[in-house]
Each structure stands twice: as C-alpha cells, then as structure tokens.
C-alpha cells in the first residue's frame, strides 16, 4: 500500500535517492539503472522490498547500518508524500 | 531518530535482555544508540552494560530531544500510565513473548494498549518476537496459530545460556556465533519491518 503510494507520488529522483542508499548491497546494485528502462517505479520498489525482505537469508546479508540509511531515507520520503 | 520500545505486560519474557542485546548490535554497526530503562526494576540501570549509553532524562517527554540514531526503551512488566506516550513517540514496538499458550493469552492488555496507540500513531509497527524458544522444536508454529493480536517476527531467539551471561557486553560480542547471528538478524529484521 505504502509502496503504491510512493510509486505514485515520488519522483524518479526520489526513488533513485532511495536506491542509492542500497547500492552497496550487491543484489540491489543494478536496480537504479533499471528504473524506467525495464521496470516501472512500482516494479522497482516491489523488487526493492522483496530483496530487502530476503536479504537476511543471503550469504552476504545487507549490513544493519546500510539498512538504517535506507530506513531513514524511506521515512523522509514517506513524510514528504504524506504532507 | 528511530525509537524502538520493548513492551509486554508479562514479566520474565526477556524484555530487558533483548533491549540490551539489540542495543549492542546497533552499536556494533556504528549507530549511535541510547537505552532508556523505564522499568522500576531497573535491570538495565543496575547492570550498566559496558559502553552503552543510558538516556538520562528527568521525564519521558524529553526523550524525543535526545541526539542518537536509535533509542531503545525498556518498559516494566505491567501497564504504566506513560506507556501510551512512549508508544505514541515510537516507530516500532517489539513484544517479546515465550511460545506458550498462557503467555499468548496474557497479552490482551498489552495488545489493547498498543492498538490504542496505533490509532493515534498510525506509523507504529508492532511485532511479536518469540523468545527462549527450544531449539528445533515446532512450538513456534503451533503457538503462532493462537497469536491473533500482532504479526510475528521471522527471527526467533532461542533459549541459550549465553544471553544470561552476556548482559554486560551483548551476545554479538561473544564467541557464540549462533546467538550473535540471531540477535543480528532480529535487529536487521526490525528495520526491514519499518520499511
């Protein structure tokens, strides 16, 4: 629900900014370049969410610090779109 | 600042132990962490875990003014007047519980308090975490069917002696890799659940 709203209201720049925070995590590395190339904003965010959920079971999981940066950016954007 | 409150009206479910262990994980990841012990038992204030910063405020209303990345609030094993306020400023409430029918049944008041807080603070996420689970048992799955109040964290904290032994330095800083792995997974999953 939130992702759908985010995809509707956030700009490409906002979503790139969110994906930038996740760039250090290898499975998300190329997600930014796929935005509007092969995937829509919503598809990118859905992929983002799914990778984030599965990352604990990955052999090299995303660091908690990296996840914190994503969370902060996400909260900023949610605050912005709900205004 | 991300505020995580650890709450359950039932005593002995591991609230303080989990609060301290989560704080150590976040600290090890380079985040500025503070712990606030609102429990009059004062388990955390008494033990003063090594290197963890305890929030020193004269009233709970000052908590939002603290300068840190993550604030973890430990609450007492009963419903307190200020619980509503603490939940209203929180991003996440972690409800540790042992996987037992009585433990699940005793969550009614905690659940009501959290649901009431969620009406005001709509961004508040609440999850149950099964704690002290006997390794390789199917009890979590069996009890999960009775847990109607809140969703359950995927990460389970198993029953391990190390948690009792490591209150001063956190399981993440011990050589017990299994304990370190599960508290790290819990800390990480909490962030995921907020996204």
């Amino acid at each position: 629900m939130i992702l759908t709203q985010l995809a509707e209201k956030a700009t490409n720049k906002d979503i790139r900014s969110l994906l930038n925070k996740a760039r250090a995590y290898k499975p998300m590395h190329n997600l930014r370049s796929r935005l509007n190339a092969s995937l829509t904003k919503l598809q990118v965010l859905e992929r983002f969410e799914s990778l984030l959920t599965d990352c604990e079971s990955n052999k090299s999981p995303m660091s908690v610090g990296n996840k914190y940066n994503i969370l902060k950016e996400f909260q900023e954007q949610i605050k912005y779109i709900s205004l | 600042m991300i505020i995580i409150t650890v709450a359950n009206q039932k005593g002995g479910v591991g609230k303080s132990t989990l609060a301290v262990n989560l704080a150590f994980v976040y600290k090890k990841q380079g985040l500025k962490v503070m712990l606030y012990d609102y429990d009059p038992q004062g388990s955390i204030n008494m033990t003063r875990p090594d290197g963890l910063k305890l929030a020193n405020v004269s009233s709970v209303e000052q908590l939002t003014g603290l300068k840190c990345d993550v604030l973890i609030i430990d609450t007492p094993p009963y419903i307190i007047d200020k619980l509503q306020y603490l939940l209203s400023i929180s991003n996440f409430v972690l409800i540790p519980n042992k996987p037992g029918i009585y433990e699940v049944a005793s969550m009614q008041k905690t659940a009501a308090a959290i649901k009431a807080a969620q009406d005001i603070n709509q961004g508040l996420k609440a999850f149950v975490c099964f704690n002290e689970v006997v390794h390789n048992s199917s009890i979590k799955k069996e009890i999960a069917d009775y847990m109607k109040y809140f969703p359950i964290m995927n990460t389970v904290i198993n029953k391990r002696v190390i948690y009792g032994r490591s209150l001063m330095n956190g399981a993440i800083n011990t050589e017990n890799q299994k304990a370190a792995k599960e508290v790290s997974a819990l800390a990480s999953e909490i962030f995921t659940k907020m996204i």
Side-chain angles (χ1 to χ4, degrees):
Chain A
M1 180 69 176
I2 283 183
L3 287 188
T4 314
Q5 283 181 340
L6 192 62
E8 277 172 12
K9 294 183 180 177
T11 62
N12 283 339
K13 196 180 161 193
D14 294 332
I15 295 183
R16 277 200 195 94
S17 170
L18 186 65
L19 299 174
N20 261 343
K21 304 281 180 191
R23 241 179 358 166
Y25 180 57
K26 212 174 172 188
M28 289 196 191
H29 197 73
N30 69 349
L31 211 48
R32 204 175 57 145
S33 60
R34 294 178 71 185
L35 178 64
N36 289 344
S38 57
L39 298 175
T40 64
K41 280 194 280 188
L42 183 59
Q43 285 170 329
V44 164
L45 286 172
E46 282 171 347
R47 181 93 185 109
F48 170 76
E49 187 190 36
S50 142
L51 286 169
L52 209 56
T53 308
D54 296 341
C55 75
E56 274 100 21
S57 50
N58 191 307
K59 274 184 188 168
S60 314
M62 183 189 286
S63 75
V64 176
N66 195 352
K67 218 178 251 188
Y68 173 81
N69 290 333
I70 294 172
L71 175 59
K72 288 300 288 179
E73 178 70 24
F74 184 77
Q75 286 190 330
E76 281 300 312
Q77 294 198 11
I78 292 297
K79 207 190 302 174
Y80 171 73
I81 63 166
S82 62
L83 282 176
Chain B
M1 178 169 63
I2 305 290
I3 303 182
I4 300 167
T5 294
V6 185
N8 191 340
Q9 68 179 90
K10 187 149 177 50
V13 292
K15 289 185 287 294
S16 303
T17 307
L18 271 187
V20 167
N21 272 292
L22 285 174
F24 274 114
V25 174
Y26 292 133
K27 184 173 185 275
K28 191 154 190 171
Q29 290 291 327
L31 299 176
K32 283 185 194 162
V33 186
M34 284 185 119
L35 261 172
Y36 180 63
D37 189 2
Y38 195 70
D39 185 352
Q41 271 188 154
S43 315
I44 297 175
N45 280 333
M46 258 191 306
T47 51
R48 302 197 77 82
D50 283 345
L52 282 185
K53 213 169 174 185
L54 304 182
N56 186 15
V57 290
S58 52
S59 73
V60 290
E61 285 77 15
Q62 293 174 346
L63 289 170
T64 50
L66 291 171
K67 300 278 179 240
C68 60
D69 297 325
V70 182
L71 171 67
I72 299 177
I73 302 172
D74 186 28
T75 60
Y78 46 83
I79 301 294
I80 45 168
D81 292 347
K82 292 288 183 185
L83 184 63
Q84 283 302 308
Y85 176 76
L86 294 175
L87 294 173
S88 75
I89 60 168
S90 298
N91 302 97
F92 191 94
V93 53
L94 182 71
I95 313 149
N97 214 343
K98 290 181 186 173
I101 300 282
Y102 290 147
E103 280 78 7
V104 170
S106 71
M107 275 187 59
Q108 270 178 327
K109 281 184 185 170
T110 307
I114 294 169
K115 296 274 186 203
Q118 283 177 322
D119 287 340
I120 302 159
N121 177 5
Q122 290 173 354
L124 176 66
K125 301 283 174 73
F127 282 82
V128 170
C129 171
F130 282 132
N131 191 20
E132 294 188 29
V133 177
V134 175
H135 190 57
N136 275 342
S137 71
S138 59
I139 189 81
K140 180 200 163 188
K141 209 176 163 199
E142 290 163 28
I143 297 298
D145 293 338
Y146 293 92
M147 179 57 72
K148 306 293 179 203
Y149 303 112
F150 299 105
I152 300 165
M153 300 292 279
N154 297 326
T155 309
V156 161
I157 303 297
N158 285 298
K159 195 177 178 76
R160 296 182 199 282
V161 178
I162 190 73
Y163 290 120
R165 284 190 182 144
S166 61
L167 287 174
M168 298 302 287
N169 55 351
I172 186 87
N173 294 315
T174 67
E175 285 176 6
N176 190 318
Q177 291 300 307
K178 287 179 181 169
K181 203 173 166 186
E182 64 192 17
V183 288
S184 298
L186 180 65
S188 178
E189 194 185 349
I190 288 174
F191 282 173
T192 305
K193 297 292 192 222
M194 278 189 258
I195 298 174

